Amino acid sequence: MVSRLHQGTQFRQRLYGILDQGSGVDQFGAVVNWTLIGLIVVTLAATVLESVPRLAGQYAKAFQAIEYAALLTFTIEYAARLWTAIEHPRWRRFGAIRSRVRLAASPAGLIDLAAVLPFWLPLFIAADFKALLVLRLIRFFKLTRYSPAMRSLLEALYAERRALVGCFVILCGATLIAAALMHLAEGAAQPDRFGTIPDAMWWAIVTLGTVGYGDAVPITAAGRLIAGLTIFVGLLMVALPVGIVATAFANEVHRRDFVVTWGLVARVPLFSELTAAQIADVMKILRAQKVDKGTTIARRGEPAHSMYLILDGEVEIRLRHKHVHLGAGDFFGEIAALRQSRRSATVIALQTTRLLALDASDLHSLMDREPQIAARIRDAAQARLGEELETTGGDLIPAELPNTKIQPRI
Ligand SMILES: Nc1ncnc2c1ncn2[C@@H]1O[C@@H]2COP(=O)(O)O[C@H]2[C@H]1O
């Protein structure tokens, strides 16, 4: 009985790992996830083709088969996600029901539900559900889960939401002012196009958007002057959000550098005792970083914000009286990150090195959650500190630094 229960939990953990981390878990995980991605793409293509009446008539059976297969698969996937939600490391403490409610209410959960729920209706209610054809395109958003680039773009938009809302507010103001001025200047000359402010707003939006359909053009001198100014403002208005999003997107992509996969994290010795679900959780707080040979990764005495795990390559720890080499599987930077102080040594990359960086705040919460990892990191820090104290006579942090305690990064 107990072993059955244990097997059930193990299966749920494995399923969670596959659904949450996909291709990185193992070959079976890769097959499951590529099947889901393939089905999303096929159902989207089928939706588009089905809107062509000739094709809809000719291949009606094939379209129906694709829809049934997709609906059934996505429904099973949704149910499996709900069932395994309790394995989510941050939700586990909420228990079965609350963790499932959390999943159902999350953006990804809502997209998964919207991708299936409306499409069951025609099977039970006899009515014309033509709009459902277009609604199927919601399934496109399921791809966000599998595309780091799409995720990066959404994260960039989210990170810059305040600046973008600011741009939108300014754009609304500019539209109103341009429309009102144009209504004053052109209202009498062209009452059908600029007779009211809402009429003139169409012109303002098209001009500020730098589209210029040419269906409404000023004919008075004052109107042309206002149009000229509006075009200049429009150029600025378009450049502003485009620049903000492009910069944020580039930063986000560079920050990721390479994709942290389940396989990479599972290979790190420090995480060797974690379950699939725990590894999945750790993945979310790690940042991938690639450094070139000769790069100074940490400088003695500098404030520290992260600890690093070496995936491959080699680094040199330059202590006062000796140099220590660390390679794949080792970690460094834990001393300052733990003590929220400054670096005790300079660290240089001896080769091109791939690292996983862990922010100090994330390190602390990980250590709170995972006592074995906490013990291993603390032991290493203690041993390294002890060694260094022995050779420096206790002068670990440079004396010229007045305040070794640093503020956490916001
Ligand atoms: N004796 C040592 N052997 C190996 N690594 C060390 C030793 N002393 C310090 N380090 C590492 O070098 C890092 C420099 O930055 P931190 O002080 O944050 O953390 C330090 C340790 O991770």
Side-chain angles (χ1 to χ4, degrees), residues 44 55 317:
L44 291 177
L55 296 177
I317 312 283

Side-chain angles (χ1 to χ4, degrees), residues 25-349:
V25 177
D26 55 21
Q27 263 183 348
F28 181 64
V31 170
V32 169
N33 280 273
W34 281 111
T35 309
L36 288 173
I37 293 171
L39 209 52
I40 296 170
V41 174
V42 168
T43 167
L44 291 177
T47 305
V48 173
L49 296 177
E50 219 179 322
S51 71
V52 182
R54 188 174 56 83
L55 296 177
Q58 208 170 341
Y59 301 106
K61 284 227 166 83
F63 287 134
Q64 208 166 37
I66 291 173
E67 177 52 17
Y68 285 153
L71 188 55
L72 197 67
T73 312
F74 295 151
T75 307
I76 294 172
E77 179 205 347
Y78 183 65
R81 284 189 192 282
L82 278 186
W83 182 56
T84 56
I86 192 167
E87 297 300 334
H88 191 298
R90 295 212 187 100
W91 297 343
R92 210 175 299 141
R93 65 196 156 98
F94 295 121
I97 295 186
R98 280 177 67 193
S99 59
R100 279 160 200 163
V101 170
R102 269 172 187 260
L103 175 85
S106 68
L110 291 173
I111 290 172
D112 285 338
L113 184 66
V116 291
L117 191 64
F119 310 100
W120 282 106
L121 292 180
L123 303 182
F124 302 106
I125 306 169
D128 186 17
F129 287 101
K130 252 206 145 59
L132 284 185
L133 190 71
V134 180
L135 215 63
R136 270 193 227 154
L137 296 178
I138 286 181
R139 290 172 185 170
F140 174 80
F141 293 103
K142 278 170 82 70
L143 288 177
T144 332
R145 188 177 272 127
Y146 306 101
S147 162
M150 258 167 95
R151 258 204 317 272
S152 294
L153 184 58
L154 289 181
E155 270 162 29
L157 288 174
Y158 184 73
E160 295 301 333
R161 63 194 181 284
R162 286 198 189 88
L164 292 174
V165 168
C167 288
F168 181 71
V169 171
I170 297 173
L171 185 65
C172 290
T175 309
L176 267 179
I177 294 168
L181 289 177
M182 209 51 162
H183 163 65
L184 276 181
E186 294 276 326
Q190 299 188 72
D192 53 330
R193 303 242 147 83
F194 300 100
T196 64
I197 293 182
D199 279 342
M201 272 169 96
W202 169 245
W203 167 86
I205 290 169
V206 168
T207 308
L208 281 168
T210 71
V211 176
Y213 289 128
D215 56 341
V217 284
I219 50 171
T220 67
R224 288 192 175 143
L225 187 69
I226 294 165
L229 288 174
T230 310
I231 289 168
F232 276 123
V233 175
L235 288 176
L236 288 180
M237 294 306 327
V238 170
L240 213 60
V242 168
I244 291 171
V245 173
T247 312
F249 184 50
N251 287 345
E252 189 62 35
V253 168
H254 287 149
R255 196 175 69 81
R256 287 183 176 235
D257 231 352
F258 54 91
V259 182
V260 184
T261 63
W262 195 93
L264 280 184
V265 179
R267 276 208 306 273
V268 175
L270 188 62
F271 303 135
S272 60
E273 280 160 33
L274 296 185
T275 63
Q278 286 167 321
I279 290 176
D281 187 39
V282 169
M283 266 180 70
K284 292 178 190 144
I285 54 175
L286 292 171
R287 266 177 303 118
Q289 223 171 304
K290 197 183 221 164
V291 290
D292 293 329
K293 181 179 174 180
T295 308
T296 305
I297 305 163
R299 217 179 283 273
R300 184 181 169 79
E302 260 181 7
H305 301 292
S306 12
M307 152 182 168
Y308 300 88
L309 302 137
I310 305 173
L311 282 178
D312 48 43
E314 194 178 15
V315 303
E316 184 173 75
I317 312 283
R318 296 201 174 155
L319 300 162
R320 286 214 172 160
H321 301 283
K322 64 172 179 174
H323 292 177
V324 179
H325 288 193
L326 298 181
D330 291 328
F331 57 85
F332 63 89
E334 77 293 349
I335 295 180
L338 274 180
R339 304 185 344 159
Q340 302 201 342
S341 62
R342 295 173 190 263
R343 295 289 184 208
S344 61
T346 295
V347 185
I348 313 262

